[in-house]
Amino acid sequence: MTQALTKQVTFDEFIAWYPENPQRRYELHDGVIVEMPPPVGDHEQVVGFLVCKLVLEYSRLDLPYFIPKTAFVKPTKSESAYSPDVLLLNSPNLVNEPLWKKESTVSSALSVPLVIEVVSTNWRDDYHKKLADYEEMGIPEYWIADYAALGGRKFIGNPKQPTFSVYHLVEDEYQVSQFRGSERIVSPLFPDLNLTADQIFRVASRN
């Protein structure tokens, strides 16, 4: 992870600065523009697999959700803006998002049923900063797919092993359930989802 600009900027300045056709992804972390690591093939395969499974499930349930190609999640209490690997949006609430039409940005938990990050080299952001901000925003679920076991041992165990973490909000705090191997992933948001950690992580090892 490398810094694109080191000076402090506001969210509005970040949006004005953001390249029109970026070759890289950028996020704003407490006023600092951060260039995100370029994705590798395994990472993108896991992202694509999860998107496919989610689309099938919310379509089956006839829920008013969609997954944008590019959008920002902006915590209301900080000059930050995140571009998740997978962002599930609740279409009916977007009329209440003042930044949606022009800046593809959401700030209300009512607009965001689920955020997913697929862990890469900047794993500390996923397990520390983003987790804390999503929790404070009140986003109901946050999934972390750590297919390469990159996270710290206090998050994925010792010895490290590929881990799928489901953080769900209970009385304004995240409670975590973790899944490995053939364990079926349990999601309060999608209770009938028939998916195991192995099925997700296997797509990163097919080549």
Side-chain angles (χ1 to χ4, degrees):
M1 182 173 64
T2 58
Q3 308 296 336
L5 291 177
T6 56
K7 70 173 186 176
Q8 294 282 310
V9 300
T10 67
F11 171 78
D12 290 339
E13 289 171 333
F14 169 67
I15 292 297
W17 168 90
Y18 204 89
E20 190 168 320
N21 296 298
Q23 299 301 308
R24 299 284 180 91
R25 288 172 58 205
Y26 300 92
E27 294 185 337
L28 185 65
H29 293 192
D30 291 326
V32 177
I33 297 175
V34 175
E35 180 182 325
M36 307 307 291
V40 298
D42 288 349
H43 179 281
E44 293 302 279
Q45 284 181 278
V46 172
V47 169
F49 181 80
L50 287 168
V51 167
C52 178
K53 294 301 182 181
L54 284 177
V55 171
L56 288 172
E57 189 64 7
Y58 70 67
S59 297
R60 181 184 71 83
L61 296 170
D62 197 26
L63 295 170
Y65 296 161
F66 76 101
I67 297 172
K69 179 182 178 183
T70 306
F72 289 115
V73 176
K74 182 185 182 305
T76 55
K77 295 183 179 180
S78 68
E79 293 293 342
S80 296
Y82 304 131
S83 178
D85 289 315
V86 183
L87 175 61
L88 187 65
L89 292 180
N90 178 29
S91 296
N93 199 63
L94 294 180
V95 297
N96 300 315
E97 293 283 1
L99 301 175
W100 174 251
K101 287 285 189 180
K102 292 186 177 181
E103 296 164 354
S104 299
T105 299
V106 294
S107 295
S108 169
L110 295 175
S111 301
V112 188
L114 171 66
V115 173
I116 304 176
E117 294 289 359
V118 178
V119 177
S120 54
T121 53
N122 60 330
W123 62 266
R124 288 177 177 82
D125 289 336
D126 298 332
Y127 283 105
H128 286 285
K129 180 164 181 50
K130 293 181 181 181
L131 190 151
D133 282 348
Y134 295 151
E135 179 184 61
E136 186 174 37
M137 289 178 69
I139 292 174
E141 285 193 34
Y142 174 37
W143 298 358
I144 300 179
D146 198 342
Y147 70 92
L150 295 174
R153 291 175 178 81
K154 67 179 178 179
F155 297 108
I156 61 173
N158 187 14
K160 293 187 186 184
Q161 54 185 316
T163 302
F164 195 94
S165 302
V166 173
Y167 291 85
H168 64 282
L169 210 62
V170 178
E171 297 181 354
D172 300 326
E173 292 184 8
Y174 276 146
Q175 304 296 317
V176 63
S177 300
Q178 295 189 311
F179 307 93
R180 301 174 181 92
S182 61
E183 295 173 333
R184 178 179 168 271
I185 291 166
V186 178
S187 161
L189 183 63
F190 295 112
D192 297 324
L193 187 66
N194 188 15
L195 194 59
T196 68
D198 262 350
Q199 287 175 301
I200 296 169
F201 298 147
R202 201 179 300 135
V203 303
S205 58
R206 287 176 179 169
N207 297 326

